[in-house]
Amino acid sequence: MAPHHTERPLPEDVHAAHHWLDVRDTRLHLAEYGTGEPVLMLHGFPQHWYAWHRVAALLPPEEHRLLCPDLRGFGWSGATARGYDMDALAEDALALLDALGLERVGLVGHDWGAHLGFRLCLRAPERFTGYLALNMSHPWPRHRAVLPNLWRLWFTAFVEYPVLGRAVLRHWPGFTRFLLRHQVADPAVWPDAELAEYAAATSASAPAAQSLFWSYVLHDIPALVRGTWKRHRLTVPTLLLGGERDVVVRPSLLAGAEPYADELTVRLVPGAGHHLPQERPEEVAQSLRTFFGGRR
């Protein structure tokens, strides 16, 4: 069983309960808020479970039970040599739900977690009552929207390559701080303590982060080019929220999924960037309450 990261203290949040569960070939850390209807919350890069703390603080604990795992190799979850492609991470998430005895839950994802969320909805739609996706394009982006925006992903060149990526993430904490500041509309939204926490966490999770990006290059990009996902249909009711000023996933990348989805709504948050849980936690919390309130 892979070790979990016990050498770093957890960020303090008195409302979060912490658990470690043996899942497949690793041990996943899970932060849990509330006691109501279960909702699986999937974080993005370069973050971990604490990405949801502002949203959780705005939700009545009796309404929702927020399940906020650290993805394999991130935060306080165990790191392994392999298992960072989307199919493997989807297996982790489904196995986690099985370990918790949960047959059907709501689903929320941000950034890479939202990319994973789409994969989960296509792979096991029966497990999810609905899906709230934040700051991520869907699996059917229009090529004419993708090509002019490829330059915005310049930073991935410093992350995805096996030797360079791990060295940058492990030894250059300023890079993580820069990304977090650069990707929001107002850098002042990040307290210094959170920037320090995510920089330290990214240093510790460098192999996992690099492997995640490299798996996307090896598997997901070829699948998009081949149009693999055009043979699949999104049947889980989905609300996709984007930031009007998102410099990573531009609003134009959120269009075009209608022919492949039964029930998909896209909404832009004015003046917001790429980190809606940090920049607009009230918008995310209200969307979660409204969207999942009538779904069981």
Side-chain angles (χ1 to χ4, degrees):
M1 189 64 61
H4 51 81
H5 303 154
T6 56
E7 66 275 10
R8 294 183 57 251
L10 290 157
E12 185 174 347
D13 189 338
V14 296
H15 301 292
H18 298 278
H19 315 279
W20 279 263
L21 297 94
D22 292 338
V23 172
R24 299 190 340 120
D25 60 340
T26 190
R27 178 169 291 168
L28 297 184
H29 166 250
L30 176 70
E32 187 173 344
Y33 298 87
T35 58
E37 291 296 317
V39 182
L40 181 62
M41 314 281 286
L42 302 174
H43 68 83
F45 170 84
Q47 295 178 283
H48 47 60
W49 68 272
Y50 196 62
W52 301 111
H53 79 282
R54 291 194 179 193
V55 175
L58 298 172
L59 292 170
E62 68 277 6
E63 286 188 6
H64 300 286
R65 177 187 175 195
L66 304 184
L67 305 166
C68 309
D70 289 332
L71 299 182
R72 173 187 296 253
F74 289 84
W76 287 262
S77 287
T80 53
R82 296 178 178 82
Y84 300 99
D85 60 277
M86 283 298 127
D87 286 329
L89 294 175
E91 288 286 352
D92 285 351
L94 295 173
L96 176 64
L97 295 181
D98 291 341
L100 293 169
L102 296 171
E103 186 62 34
R104 204 158 181 255
V105 301
L107 180 62
V108 180
H110 172 252
D111 184 74
W112 277 107
H115 185 62
L116 174 58
F118 276 113
R119 184 66 55 90
L120 283 165
C121 288
L122 294 176
R123 181 172 180 151
E126 71 282 357
R127 304 297 298 268
F128 305 105
T129 60
Y131 178 36
L132 174 59
L134 309 173
N135 301 109
M136 179 50 63
S137 59
H138 51 75
W140 307 278
R142 295 168 174 166
H143 286 181
R144 65 176 180 269
V146 172
L147 294 177
N149 287 293
L150 285 176
W151 67 272
R152 298 179 184 277
L153 302 178
W154 61 267
F155 64 91
T156 63
F158 291 91
V159 179
E160 61 199 18
Y161 296 107
V163 176
L164 175 65
R166 296 185 186 201
V168 167
L169 295 175
R170 182 175 285 131
H171 302 297
W172 191 11
F175 180 71
T176 299
R177 293 170 183 264
F178 167 79
L179 288 181
L180 290 168
R181 289 193 182 107
H182 171 69
Q183 292 174 357
V184 295
D186 180 6
V189 75
W190 295 110
D192 289 340
E194 285 195 42
L195 291 174
E197 165 56 38
Y198 292 130
T202 300
S203 178
S205 65
Q210 179 273 316
S211 297
L212 178 69
F213 277 81
W214 190 237
S215 293
Y216 183 83
V217 172
L218 294 181
H219 304 294
D220 293 48
I221 291 178
L224 285 173
V225 172
R226 292 193 302 266
T228 297
W229 300 112
K230 292 184 178 180
R231 300 192 293 271
H232 296 75
R233 186 167 187 82
L234 180 64
T235 59
V236 177
T238 299
L239 172 60
L240 175 54
L241 295 186
E244 182 187 47
R245 296 175 60 186
D246 193 329
V247 297
V248 182
V249 180
R250 296 296 298 149
S252 61
L253 294 171
L254 306 183
E258 292 78 10
Y260 308 100
D262 287 354
E263 185 182 336
L264 171 66
T265 302
V266 177
R267 191 162 76 233
L268 291 180
V269 180
H274 185 66
H275 286 272
L276 286 176
Q278 187 78 22
E279 298 177 81
R280 297 289 193 275
E282 65 287 340
E283 178 82 21
V284 175
Q286 184 57 48
S287 296
L288 191 155
R289 293 186 73 187
T290 304
F291 187 62
F292 292 113
R295 301 180 190 276
R296 296 289 187 267

